[in-house]
Amino acid sequence: MIEFKTDKVLVRGLSKDIKIKAKLEVPGDKSISHRAIMLGSLAGGKSTVSNLSLSRDNLATIAAFRKLGINIKKQNSSGSNKDFIINGTGLYGLKEPESVINTANSGTLTRLLAGILAGNDFFSVMSGDRYLNSRPMKRIIEPLSLMGAKINGRKDGSYPPLAVSGGRLKSIFYEVPVPSAQVKSCIMLAALFAEGDTVIYEKKGTRDHTENLLKLQGYPVNVDAPVNGGSLITVKGRGRGELKPFNISIPGDFSSAAFFIALGILNEDSEITACNVLLNDKRIGLIKALEMMGANVDLTLTGEVPERTGDIKVKYSALRGITVPLELVPDMIDEFPIFSVIASFAEGKTTVTGAKELRVKESDRIKTIIFNLKRIGVGIKELEDGFEINGNPSLKNFKPSMKSKMDGLTVLNPFGDHRIAMSMIIMGLILKNRKIELRNIRCINTSFPEFFDVLAEITV
Ligand code: S3P
């Protein structure tokens, strides 16, 4: 089924006899893990965080805060290796880093940390891998500059490395021009150090993990829903609040669970339950889209703190194509790679528009989805802000002619993007008569180093 070679895999379709009936857990949510490390470091005292994601992105956040002088260690040598203690030193307790902070592949780390560094009276530099260093940063430099921050970057502040000369900030009113939780959170974190109340308006609410954790820490943050929609967030500034330490267990990452949700829905006679998964309303747009397509999905709530959590049970379903409602797009922004795989097997046309943000993710996801699905033979058309897929349920059993190049082997390319890599592996498992080769799979470690272990557990 899956054969490993050096940094590449050969994926064959799951045998018809494999009917998956499984319960699984995925590692802690990546977005909440970043924020727990950051806000735990800024809290006045010891926080405990269980089930922290050990993805490459999150390890980079731990390393960054250690470099800023924070003591972060495992809870105990005998317990889970995902349980951590963060010894926060308060809002003004960070130390100037002596060398460049490595932000790896992580847009969240780079953008959120920029907000914190901007309010700290020292010099720091952030730089990541070649993919991260070509992602747009003007979107945070603009509001931070309005707050009085001094930040420089490559190409006139467009790209990392970013050099931050932190200092006193002033509060602003800011309407976030693109739906982005990273931009919103960057400003919220800078607001903790600013003089006065900072007010942020988002036309369409995005993931609110920063708001939720700040509230859990007793910090004065107010979220209103104005009459014209969206959300209006007010963060009290310098000297107006304190960040209390917290003890949390991080729910499973919905974006990681999404690959197994897809497998359960697409593989005949299968039933998969992903347990203890984050069900924040701003993260589960994929569930709503799947329900519109006719998928059999069942949610059971199991907890509310630090965020809504529950079990997701899916069963093999016949799907029909849909037009994804515009308002769902930000709530499933990380799930479009796997959604494109799901839509490839639905009856009829699926259209995604209003998703231009996909062009500035870990790869230009519109291009990388199109490149890979075209190689497989999916009818897909590129749109400026999305794509159109002509789904075909019988694609699963399509047999390439033996004369086709390289004995029916289709070579795909994740372009360094973890979610494209995992999506194409699920695609390969569903195509019964094909062989898919996927190169450079190390990028999967960016968010989900345990991906192949979970897959092996449920498919043997
Ligand atoms: C994230 C926000 C989203 C998302 C990313 C994680 C976060 O990015 O795509 O994977 O943790 O805030 P944008 O804010 O750029 O939409």
Side-chain angles (χ1 to χ4, degrees), residues 308-319:
R308 205 154 73 107
T309 303
D311 299 341
I312 307 168
K313 180 163 147 190
V314 296
K315 287 186 188 158
Y316 170 70
S317 318
L319 304 174

Side-chain angles (χ1 to χ4, degrees), residues 31 35 108 111 139 179-182 207 333-334 361 419:
S31 289
R35 287 155 172 88
T108 308
R111 295 189 177 121
R139 52 180 59 200
S180 168
Q182 290 179 358
R207 66 188 71 189
I333 195 68
D334 290 339
K361 292 293 174 191
R419 297 202 205 283

Side-chain angles (χ1 to χ4, degrees), residues 215-259:
K215 283 182 194 160
L216 190 73
Q217 293 184 270
Y219 198 87
V221 177
N222 195 51
V223 182
D224 287 318
V227 273
N228 54 348
S231 55
L232 197 63
I233 303 135
T234 307
V235 185
K236 294 269 179 212
R238 203 180 173 86
R240 304 290 299 283
E242 266 173 46
L243 292 169
K244 296 204 180 85
F246 52 87
N247 302 313
I248 57 168
S249 175
I250 299 184
D253 194 325
F254 178 82
S255 299
S256 300
F259 302 107

Side-chain angles (χ1 to χ4, degrees), residues 29-32 34-35 57 107-109 111-112 135 139 178-185 206-207 209-210 255 283 330 333-334 357 360-362 365 418-419:
D29 182 70
K30 179 156 80 78
S31 289
I32 300 182
H34 281 303
R35 287 155 172 88
D57 274 9
T108 308
L109 170 56
R111 295 189 177 121
L112 271 59
R135 294 184 67 188
R139 52 180 59 200
V178 283
S180 168
Q182 290 179 358
V183 175
K184 170 181 68 176
S185 302
T206 57
R207 66 188 71 189
H209 309 309
T210 310
S255 299
R283 293 287 297 279
I333 195 68
D334 290 339
E357 276 296 296
V360 291
K361 292 293 174 191
E362 286 83 330
R365 284 189 176 153
H418 54 128
R419 297 202 205 283

Side-chain angles (χ1 to χ4, degrees), residues 177-404:
V178 283
S180 168
Q182 290 179 358
V183 175
K184 170 181 68 176
S185 302
C186 164
I187 304 167
M188 289 179 73
L189 293 171
L192 303 175
F193 303 93
E195 236 32 271
D197 295 356
T198 294
V199 182
I200 304 162
Y201 173 60
E202 313 185 274
K203 268 197 209 79
K204 161 81 179 85
T206 57
R207 66 188 71 189
D208 53 0
H209 309 309
T210 310
E211 293 86 318
N212 294 339
L213 195 46
L214 282 173
K215 283 182 194 160
L216 190 73
Q217 293 184 270
Y219 198 87
V221 177
N222 195 51
V223 182
D224 287 318
V227 273
N228 54 348
S231 55
L232 197 63
I233 303 135
T234 307
V235 185
K236 294 269 179 212
R238 203 180 173 86
R240 304 290 299 283
E242 266 173 46
L243 292 169
K244 296 204 180 85
F246 52 87
N247 302 313
I248 57 168
S249 175
I250 299 184
D253 194 325
F254 178 82
S255 299
S256 300
F259 302 107
F260 301 103
I261 291 174
L263 187 63
I265 287 176
L266 295 174
N267 193 55
E268 245 163 74
D269 290 333
S270 293
E271 184 181 300
I272 292 182
T273 306
C275 301
N276 189 32
V277 180
L278 175 74
L279 294 180
N280 178 308
D281 205 42
K282 301 272 172 271
R283 293 287 297 279
I284 56 168
L286 176 71
I287 297 286
K288 294 172 192 162
L290 288 173
E291 281 168 346
M292 288 173 69
M293 296 171 98
N296 195 326
V297 187
D298 197 34
L299 303 186
T300 312
L301 293 188
T302 54
E304 293 282 347
V305 181
E307 299 246 8
R308 205 154 73 107
T309 303
D311 299 341
I312 307 168
K313 180 163 147 190
V314 296
K315 287 186 188 158
Y316 170 70
S317 318
L319 304 174
R320 54 182 176 272
I322 57 163
T323 295
V324 175
L326 284 178
E327 67 273 13
L328 273 193
V329 169
D331 302 347
M332 58 185 288
I333 195 68
D334 290 339
E335 279 60 75
F336 282 106
I338 190 63
F339 179 71
S340 73
V341 171
I342 297 169
S344 299
F345 300 104
E347 187 74 59
K349 188 157 99 177
T350 291
T351 308
V352 175
T353 56
K356 211 169 173 184
E357 276 296 296
L358 292 177
R359 296 213 179 265
V360 291
K361 292 293 174 191
E362 286 83 330
S363 65
D364 174 342
R365 284 189 176 153
I366 297 181
K367 283 221 170 336
T368 50
I369 286 171
I370 303 252
F371 173 94
N372 286 299
L373 293 192
K374 271 200 172 150
R375 283 213 160 174
I376 285 161
V378 176
I380 182 163
K381 185 171 135 200
E382 178 169 355
L383 305 176
E384 198 212 337
D385 60 346
F387 50 82
E388 234 172 59
I389 291 179
N390 278 311
N392 176 9
S394 54
L395 177 72
K396 278 180 196 171
N397 299 313
F398 173 78
K399 259 200 178 98
S401 89
M402 288 320 273
K403 277 190 226 115
S404 74

